[in-house]
Amino acid sequence: MRELSIFIDESGDFGETRDVRDYYLVTFVFHDQSNDITEKTMQLEKSVKESGLDIEYIHAGPVIRKEGIFKEHSLDERRQLLYKMFNFVMKCPINFCTVAIKRKEANDRVQLSGKLGKAINAMLKEHMDYLKEYDKVIVYYDNGQRELGSILNAIFSIQLSNVEFRKAEPQKYRLLQAADFLCTIDLLQIKRDEKRLSKGEQQFFYKPNELKKTFIKGISKKRI
């Protein structure tokens, strides 16, 4: 039996936005379960421990912005963490795609739900030949946003008869962390293209063209 896992993470929320330049992103990471990633996961965890950091969840946004548990870590330590996740993503046999909604085109929950539903439905249809190769599709999402969870459940259930949903914690699934990382880089690409990276983001990626040449170009090889 061929089994496909899809790990999902989002950036943004369903509340009213104060900045019409905002986007709502949903990233989907696809992993064929026949491709074992146990060794790569163990290598990542060993690398994190050997660096002297006791961190279960490499949460890309807070790592970059120096938020939450990452407030106490230096710039070099935080950059090391992001590079460890980047290397893990690049080594893993995974693919991904992201759907992005401009918030200026979806000012309230109803509009955002409608546009997200259409975008996710279109994404599934585009990749349906690939999805139909599998006997079972398991969708992992942490249910961080109920509205998105309901949309995912409805759209996937309509499009796929062999789908199963599982609530998952990012601390326990490195591929959920990979989805978070990829979603974050895709958002940074949008902000970079629109020349509105924050001061903190610019300070984090202080090397010339590092964000574009290393991260954006690197993950492009993983797009499905």
Side-chain angles (χ1 to χ4, degrees), residues 60-123:
V63 167
I64 294 168
R65 296 188 298 268
K66 199 176 183 180
E67 296 173 348
I69 65 170
F70 304 104
K71 280 184 178 179
E72 306 304 318
H73 295 293
S74 68
L75 175 60
D76 285 343
E77 288 175 331
R78 290 183 291 115
R79 282 173 56 83
Q80 282 182 34
L81 279 175
L82 200 73
Y83 267 98
K84 291 180 192 301
M85 179 53 68
F86 172 69
N87 291 329
F88 172 72
V89 166
M90 297 306 296
K91 291 177 181 178
C92 277
I94 59 175
N95 297 104
F96 85 102
C97 68
T98 298
V99 300
I101 305 297
K102 294 180 180 180
R103 288 309 307 270
K104 68 180 180 182
E105 298 176 358
N107 293 321
D108 56 38
R109 294 174 184 270
V110 174
Q111 289 183 346
L112 181 55
S113 294
K115 286 188 175 294
L116 268 176
K118 289 180 180 178
I120 294 170
N121 190 56
M123 181 276 293

Side-chain angles (χ1 to χ4, degrees), residues 3-187:
E3 189 174 294
L4 179 72
S5 293
I6 303 178
F7 297 84
I8 300 172
D9 193 68
E10 85 290 327
S11 174
D13 60 62
F14 280 75
E16 292 185 8
T17 179
R18 297 179 180 178
D19 190 340
V20 295
R21 299 173 300 175
D22 285 345
Y23 284 75
Y24 190 102
L25 279 67
V26 185
T27 294
F28 303 81
V29 170
F30 303 89
H31 175 227
D32 186 322
Q33 284 296 313
S34 65
N35 296 319
D36 187 22
I37 64 167
T38 302
E39 183 178 349
K40 294 175 178 60
T41 300
M42 291 175 63
Q43 289 173 350
L44 171 63
E45 292 171 356
K46 180 181 178 182
S47 177
V48 172
K49 283 187 178 180
E50 287 180 345
S51 66
L53 302 172
D54 184 19
I55 293 171
E56 289 183 310
Y57 182 6
I58 302 177
H59 198 176
V63 167
I64 294 168
R65 296 188 298 268
K66 199 176 183 180
E67 296 173 348
I69 65 170
F70 304 104
K71 280 184 178 179
E72 306 304 318
H73 295 293
S74 68
L75 175 60
D76 285 343
E77 288 175 331
R78 290 183 291 115
R79 282 173 56 83
Q80 282 182 34
L81 279 175
L82 200 73
Y83 267 98
K84 291 180 192 301
M85 179 53 68
F86 172 69
N87 291 329
F88 172 72
V89 166
M90 297 306 296
K91 291 177 181 178
C92 277
I94 59 175
N95 297 104
F96 85 102
C97 68
T98 298
V99 300
I101 305 297
K102 294 180 180 180
R103 288 309 307 270
K104 68 180 180 182
E105 298 176 358
N107 293 321
D108 56 38
R109 294 174 184 270
V110 174
Q111 289 183 346
L112 181 55
S113 294
K115 286 188 175 294
L116 268 176
K118 289 180 180 178
I120 294 170
N121 190 56
M123 181 276 293
L124 289 178
K125 286 184 176 179
E126 180 182 356
H127 302 298
M128 190 55 66
D129 288 343
Y130 167 69
L131 295 171
K132 284 183 176 179
E133 294 177 6
Y134 294 89
D135 302 295
K136 188 175 184 179
V137 175
I138 303 177
V139 175
Y140 293 85
Y141 178 57
D142 65 2
N143 285 342
Q145 296 186 17
R146 291 183 179 180
E147 293 95 335
L148 177 58
S150 297
I151 293 169
L152 292 170
N153 197 304
I155 301 299
F156 272 89
S157 296
I158 290 171
Q159 292 293 341
L160 298 169
S161 60
N162 58 343
V163 67
E164 177 183 320
F165 298 90
R166 294 183 186 175
K167 182 179 179 181
E169 298 178 10
Q171 292 88 340
K172 296 181 180 179
Y173 290 88
R174 288 293 184 181
L175 289 186
L176 270 179
Q177 297 180 36
D180 164 76
F181 168 82
L182 291 163
C183 191
T184 299
I185 299 302
D186 270 350
L187 178 59

Side-chain angles (χ1 to χ4, degrees), residues 203-216:
Q203 289 175 340
F204 187 90
F205 300 101
Y206 62 83
K207 295 181 179 179
N209 290 319
E210 177 186 29
L211 175 58
K212 179 182 179 181
K213 291 186 176 180
T214 300
F215 292 92
I216 295 174

